Structures are given as C-alpha cells and as structure tokens.
Amino acid sequence: MKERIAHILDKIRRAAVSCGRDPNSIRLVAVTKTVSPEEIRQAVDAGLRVFGESYIQEAMTKIDAIADMRLSWHFIGHLQSNKARYAVRCFDLIHSVDSLHLAQALNREAKKIGKIQNILIQVNISGETTKSGTGEEEAIFLAKSITDLKNLSVQGLMTLPPYFDQPEKARPYFKALADLNYQIQQQSIPGTDMNELSMGMTGDFEVAIEEGATLVRIGTAIFGDRT
Ligand SMILES: *Cc1c(COP(=O)(O)O)cnc(C)c1O
C-alpha cells in the first residue's frame, strides 16, 4: 500500500506541475468506504491523514475504532437531514450539501456544539437523474441562502461526473464546475470562501487537477477494488 500511495502522490504532483499549479494546493482524500480500520492504519503509516466516508453508520464505527489517531474525516456520500447531528460531530468537511433543508439541519446541529461546519455544495453538473446534487442555478441560490446560516461556511463545490472509461470525457464537467465556482466567487457572498473544488476519482483525477481540483477523492487506486 505504501508504494501505491507514493505512486498516486507522485501522479498528483506531476499533474499539478504539468499545468503550472502548486502541488501543495491539492489534497488527497483517501476514500475508505468498505475499507477496514486496519487498512486505514496502514494508509496512515504511509503518510495519509485525510479520509472520506460515504455512509454515516459505517464511518462512525470506524472513526471510533481508530480514535487514537488524529485524522481528518470528510463526508462524501448522500446525507439525510436526520443524520446531521452525527455528521457535524464526526466530519471536518461535508462535501455533499445539496438542499437548503439539509443545510438548515447541519447549521442547527453545528450551533448546538459551537462549531462552524465547513461544507461544499454538491452540484449535479451532468443532470443525470440518478445523481444527487443541485442544478447550477440552485447552487447559486443555495450559496446565497447559506449566508444566513451562521454556523456553516461554504468552502466550494463538489461534483461526481458520469463514469467514462476515457477520463478526457469527464473534462467538460470539471470545467463547468470550476466555472460555476468562479461565478459564485465573483459574487463575494458573506459566509462563502469558494476556494475548494472537490472533483476527480481513481479514473480521472489527473484531468480534474488540470481543471482546478483542490480535493481529489481516491479509493480504488489506494485500497484496491471494492467487492
Ligand atoms: C467511492 C467514491 C469515490 C472513490 O472512487 P474510486 O473510483 O474508488 O477512486 C469518490 N467519490 C465519491 C463520492 C465516492 O462515493
């Protein structure tokens, strides 16, 4: 696993340099859904500190099992409002906020524990009906509405493009997310930073980096196929 991780970090570095970006502006989020706490420990030994989970229940069990390690956990899956309480207690960044209702629930729970919860707005750039995420106009509306939710801080956008076996085909979706992020940034909405773009997975992270990704979410290339 050490070698696989070193290899991915090297690819991230090269992709950044190839387009004139600072490699330190890109963070690797190691996606650990279905991965055991023991394997996560190995990844920590190899130098990783930021981990992404998609299911609250699974995440809580694992976070508990390795609570002795100081790690940063990100939530990347679909989040139901009734799990907001757990999400704000466990995660430094929630990538998947896609409705005002969910944002309000997170804000309420964050307030209870005196936390400013960092979030991303998940955008369904491709418009596929099977995917979560807001539309583009709705993302702008949501960013503006969250201004009033003082315990949330919008750090940027996240997307999950359709699956392609040629990564180049995902490029227009990454570009569209970066454009939308820029558009929201230009409006200087209070309570928003818009400096993070969460996009790119095992099959397409290099293209995502070329289009401005600051967070790449990689599972399979680190931990192998999920069965
Ligand atoms: C599973 C998952 C990933 C990681 O995908 P890989 O192809 O295994 O790298 C990234 N993002 C989200 C939202 C996921 O659910």
Side-chain angles (χ1 to χ4, degrees):
M1 191 183 302
K2 266 204 168 71
E3 268 174 35
R4 271 192 269 183
I5 291 172
H7 185 62
I8 292 158
L9 291 174
D10 189 51
K11 280 184 158 181
I12 291 173
R13 215 160 16 241
R14 281 166 198 262
V17 170
S18 80
C19 61
R21 294 186 57 198
D22 175 2
N24 295 318
S25 66
I26 298 144
R27 285 189 290 163
L28 169 59
V29 180
V31 177
T32 47
K33 57 181 185 242
T34 78
V35 172
S36 69
E38 291 68 36
E39 288 172 286
I40 298 174
R41 282 182 192 275
Q42 288 176 33
V44 174
D45 285 343
L48 300 188
R49 288 292 177 278
V50 184
F51 295 91
E53 284 281 342
S54 304
Y55 305 98
I56 291 284
Q57 195 57 52
E58 180 189 345
M60 290 206 305
T61 311
K62 278 187 229 174
I63 293 171
D64 243 19
I66 42 183
D68 55 309
M69 312 192 102
R70 292 187 61 84
L71 306 175
S72 180
W73 293 93
H74 290 192
F75 192 76
I76 63 171
H78 180 66
L79 185 58
Q80 288 169 307
S81 304
N82 61 6
K83 302 277 171 64
R85 175 164 187 266
Y86 306 109
V88 301
R89 281 169 171 73
C90 297
F91 297 98
D92 292 330
L93 182 64
I94 297 169
H95 292 223
S96 47
V97 176
D98 63 357
S99 73
L100 186 55
H101 182 68
L102 174 59
Q104 287 165 335
L106 291 168
N107 184 62
R108 211 158 40 235
E109 296 298 336
K111 189 172 181 185
K112 281 186 199 162
I113 60 169
K115 179 183 185 186
I116 304 296
Q117 177 68 56
N118 289 330
I119 62 166
L120 304 178
I121 295 174
Q122 180 173 356
V123 187
N124 182 1
I125 287 283
S126 62
E128 290 168 287
T129 52
T130 53
K131 292 241 163 86
S132 332
T134 67
E136 301 197 25
E137 286 304 318
E138 199 186 345
I140 299 171
F141 164 79
L142 196 51
K144 287 179 178 161
S145 309
I146 291 173
T147 293
D148 297 329
L149 306 179
K150 303 297 181 206
N151 288 77
L152 297 186
S153 172
V154 185
Q155 305 280 300
L157 304 179
M158 179 269 225
T159 200
L160 198 64
Y163 175 79
F164 298 108
D165 44 19
Q166 294 161 283
E168 205 49 51
K169 291 192 174 157
R171 189 183 297 276
Y173 301 95
F174 296 145
K175 207 187 273 289
L177 192 75
D179 285 350
L180 179 62
N181 194 64
Y182 181 73
Q183 207 183 320
I184 298 175
Q185 209 171 40
Q186 289 311 96
Q187 305 193 21
S188 306
I189 304 166
T192 65
D193 267 329
M194 310 316 283
N195 289 316
E196 301 281 5
L197 276 178
S198 169
M199 55 190 197
M201 319 192 339
T202 290
D204 55 20
F205 68 90
E206 287 157 299
V207 175
I209 289 170
E210 288 164 14
E211 296 304 330
T214 62
L215 292 159
V216 289
R217 311 177 307 264
I218 300 180
T220 308
I222 298 172
F223 301 105
D225 283 329
R226 290 178 291 272
T227 45

